[in-house]
Amino acid sequence: PACPNLEDQEPLFDLMKPQDIGVELTEGFMMEPEASVSAMVFAHPEAQYFNVEKL
């Protein structure tokens, strides 16, 4: 979502340990450095890429 519940970052940080690469979580659950993003991405062997073309 565009405005996620930032408190959800805490368990994600506990799991993934991004502090090891210099990403920290502030008291307000914001990530520093500012341009940092978090995601959990899962692959599936039958997944395919696709393009949306203009008609």
Side-chain angles (χ1 to χ4, degrees):
C3 298
N5 180 358
L6 294 178
E7 292 178 9
D8 291 341
Q9 293 285 38
E10 191 168 36
L12 184 62
F13 266 58
D14 291 341
L15 178 67
M16 299 183 72
K17 308 285 188 229
Q19 302 87 338
D20 295 347
I21 60 168
V23 179
E24 301 288 333
L25 198 59
T26 69
E27 289 179 12
F29 303 105
M30 300 292 290
M31 287 187 288
E32 288 185 343
E34 267 183 47
S36 301
V37 280
S38 61
M40 293 186 81
V41 180
F42 301 91
H44 189 278
E46 295 179 21
Q48 297 179 354
Y49 287 101
F50 64 94
N51 292 324
V52 176
E53 295 185 21
K54 197 174 193 178
L55 297 176

